[in-house]
Amino acid sequence: MPGQIRGVIVTLQEIADRLGCELAGGGDIEITGVAGMEQAAPTELTFLANPKYAPKVKNTKAAAILVSEALPSQRPVSVVSRNPYHDFARALSFFYQPPKLAPGISPQAAIAKSASIAEGASIAAFAVVGENVVIGRNAVLHPHVVIYEGAQIGDDFLAHSHAVVREFCRIGNRVTLQNGVVIGGDGFGFAKTSEGRHFKIVQSGVTVIEDDVEIQSLTSIDRATAGETRVKRGAKIDSLVQIGHACVVGEDNIICSQTGLAGSSILEKNVLLAGQVGVSGHLTIHENAVVYAQSGIGGDVAAGAVISGSPAFESREWLRAITAFPKLPEILKSMRQLEKRVRELEKRGLDETASNPE
């Protein structure tokens, strides 16, 4: 596996013990890595999280497999887990760790004298930390990260190259910003003058990112015109997502790539937005709602709803509608033929009545 820690060999029993799993034999088998079922080598561990992929188990070369129930076969050896996918993710760290920056602050980093950086920081060359910035313990700033004046950042912050945190924004603990993320860029706000020109509205608010949030590459979380834009605890936001000014992204939300939230969109907790969803703004998507890919949201979404389409509506109805959609030309043709036939029958009936008066 690329990036694998060289020479790491862990017995299957040790893996089971560290994960808190039950092992159906084979504890002395030596494991050198983890991989998907189709890619796994004879000395690797794999997983089965979705029962629909169970037929593939017979073809895997893996030595062992994380499963929710023990398999009848002896190979691959079953490692019984309450959550196979989660334990697979945990097992990855036994064999792979990303490269780490050297501890300390590079002399080529630009750190304002008024900035406060707690112990344990690793700040690379060409990173920039502005005036009156406060950064907590164990921060990692890769090259070309820029932290503007007055930003406040908690412990265990990780920012990859070209991530930017704008002025006075606030970030909690254990937040990760992937490459090119912009936190607190100006919201898209303009007022039209009497001459018909666009006057820029000062974006005086901030963006607040709570604890345990991860934001993927090239995503923008705009600052509010006034007040704040907020991403709540545990939310995970994919690459190429746009969060407009004064939005609220709820706890443990998942927002997938190329999704856009117009200003003042409110997402409650555990909302899932699949890829390329568009949210028109000034609305609320209530907790536990699921929105399928490429849906367009123009109004509030009820708690627990599963919706699709543009404009979006209940997903099962949408599936029936989309199944009928390719048949619409044929249905229209049939309707026109039926209408013609009805007119002919009506005309014949009138003609017969006229020729046979009582």
Side-chain angles (χ1 to χ4, degrees):
M1 181 172 64
Q4 186 171 329
I5 302 172
R6 293 182 181 179
V8 172
I9 298 174
V10 185
T11 67
L12 196 54
Q13 185 64 60
E14 183 180 352
I15 290 173
D17 290 344
R18 290 169 72 176
L19 296 177
C21 296
E22 295 181 11
L23 190 59
D28 57 346
I29 294 174
E30 294 183 336
I31 302 297
T32 61
V34 294
M37 265 194 285
E38 296 173 342
Q39 297 81 28
T43 59
E44 291 184 318
L45 172 70
T46 190
F47 73 100
L48 174 65
N50 191 328
K52 76 177 183 180
Y53 298 121
K56 293 186 177 183
V57 171
K58 64 179 182 293
N59 296 320
T60 187
K61 296 178 181 178
I65 184 168
L66 286 156
V67 288
S68 56
E69 295 181 3
L71 301 175
S73 60
Q74 294 183 344
R75 192 78 175 188
V77 175
S78 295
V79 183
V80 181
S81 163
R82 288 187 293 272
N83 189 334
Y85 190 50
H86 180 213
D87 283 334
F88 175 79
R90 292 170 62 203
L92 276 168
S93 65
F94 304 163
F95 300 95
Y96 175 81
Q97 291 291 330
K100 293 184 178 181
L101 285 179
I105 299 174
S106 169
Q108 292 177 296
I111 311 296
K113 290 183 179 179
S114 60
S116 173
I117 301 173
E119 62 185 3
S122 298
I123 300 180
F126 312 117
V128 178
V129 178
E131 298 289 349
N132 302 308
V133 168
V134 177
I135 300 178
R137 297 187 300 272
N138 305 318
V140 177
L141 275 60
H142 285 269
H144 302 288
V145 168
V146 179
I147 312 297
Y148 279 46
E149 179 180 354
Q152 298 181 31
I153 298 173
D155 297 339
D156 302 307
F157 177 63
L158 170 58
H160 288 277
S161 295
H162 300 286
V164 176
V165 179
R166 288 278 299 272
E167 63 274 13
F168 310 116
C169 291
R170 303 194 299 275
I171 293 180
N173 299 318
R174 299 173 299 281
V175 169
T176 296
L177 306 182
Q178 299 290 344
N179 304 80
V181 169
V182 178
I183 301 298
D186 281 5
F188 193 64
F190 299 87
K192 206 161 193 176
T193 68
S194 56
E195 293 83 16
R197 297 178 179 177
H198 299 294
F199 176 82
K200 182 175 176 62
I201 302 170
V202 174
Q203 303 297 296
S204 65
V206 297
T207 296
V208 179
I209 309 294
E210 296 185 1
D211 296 346
D212 301 307
V213 169
E214 179 156 352
I215 302 171
Q216 300 291 314
S217 301
L218 301 173
T219 284
S220 179
I221 318 290
D222 288 352
R223 68 196 310 113
T225 305
E228 65 179 35
T229 301
R230 181 174 289 265
V231 178
K232 293 189 175 182
R233 182 207 53 77
K236 313 299 180 188
I237 302 175
D238 199 0
S239 303
L240 297 169
V241 170
Q242 164 66 27
I243 308 294
H245 54 224
C247 287
V248 177
V249 174
E251 295 177 349
D252 296 310
N253 278 198
I254 293 287
I255 301 180
C256 297
S257 183
Q258 298 183 13
T259 289
L261 274 62
S264 300
S265 300
I266 309 299
L267 278 57
E268 295 185 344
K269 64 181 181 181
N270 295 317
V271 167
L272 189 156
L273 304 183
Q276 297 185 332
V277 167
V279 180
S280 65
H282 296 275
L283 55 79
T284 299
I285 302 177
H286 292 276
E287 62 183 66
N288 299 311
V290 176
V291 182
Y292 285 179
Q294 297 188 325
S295 295
I297 311 300
D300 290 356
V301 177
V306 181
I307 61 174
S308 307
S310 185
F313 54 97
E314 202 277 329
S315 63
R316 286 172 295 184
E317 293 182 10
W318 177 83
L319 286 170
R320 288 194 292 270
I322 203 65
T323 301
F325 185 77
K327 301 175 183 177
L328 288 180
E330 180 183 340
I331 293 170
L332 182 60
K333 181 180 178 181
S334 297
M335 286 182 62
R336 285 173 175 166
Q337 290 172 343
L338 288 169
E339 287 174 345
K340 181 181 179 181
R341 180 62 175 156
V342 168
R343 286 195 298 268
E344 290 173 350
L345 291 171
E346 288 176 341
K347 185 176 183 302
R348 183 183 301 174
L350 290 172
D351 290 344
E352 290 176 354
T353 301
S355 61
N356 298 294
E358 294 182 0

